[in-house]
Amino acid sequence: MKNGRCPKCLSTSVLGNVPVADLAQHMHNLETYVAVAVHPDAMMFRDVTMAPVRAWICEVCGFTEFYVENASKIGKAIDKAAANTKSDKNRRHQPCRIDKPADDISF
């Protein structure tokens, strides 16, 4: 949809780069972020990597796609988190690469 055409209805009436926020965030003018803790087992100093979520919306049919700014930064944080996760229990609840899923993660 970032190409300006809706993949569902083929309209070119696309609204791009729209901030995503829930009601509480709207009242405080905050955006929604994805977040990955590089040190997921740590109680403090988890080194959280964050990136804002933006929406592309078809004005005709309402179809919406969400994108994360700087997705490669999130990918690097996921790789570091996987290397730093020691507990099998925690590993099941951590983000992972779908092209290289961990053996003990079930979706």
Side-chain angles (χ1 to χ4, degrees):
M1 183 128 56
K2 280 186 163 183
N3 66 2
R5 183 172 298 280
C6 174
K8 186 174 178 185
C9 73
L10 303 179
S11 167
T12 55
S13 296
V14 174
L15 308 171
N17 205 30
V18 179
V20 179
D22 67 22
L23 182 58
Q25 291 169 327
H26 176 69
M27 292 187 301
H28 299 288
N29 199 24
L30 299 173
E31 293 185 44
T32 298
Y33 287 80
V34 295
V36 176
V38 174
H39 301 284
D41 293 335
M43 295 294 283
M44 297 173 49
F45 308 113
R46 298 180 70 195
D47 190 14
V48 177
T49 299
M50 298 172 57
V53 176
R54 300 297 194 140
W56 268 251
I57 305 165
C58 176
E59 199 171 14
V60 174
C61 72
F63 182 76
T64 304
E65 290 183 347
F66 296 99
Y67 294 91
V68 173
E69 293 181 14
N70 201 349
S72 64
K73 180 171 84 169
I74 297 298
K76 289 175 186 174
I78 287 172
D79 292 342
K80 288 179 184 177
N84 291 329
T85 302
K86 297 177 178 103
S87 166
D88 287 339
K89 178 183 174 188
N90 288 345
R91 188 171 283 125
R92 282 183 295 222
H93 300 287
Q94 292 299 319
C96 69
R97 291 189 174 275
I98 300 302
D99 61 334
K100 299 177 191 173
D103 295 336
D104 58 344
I105 296 177
S106 59
F107 296 99

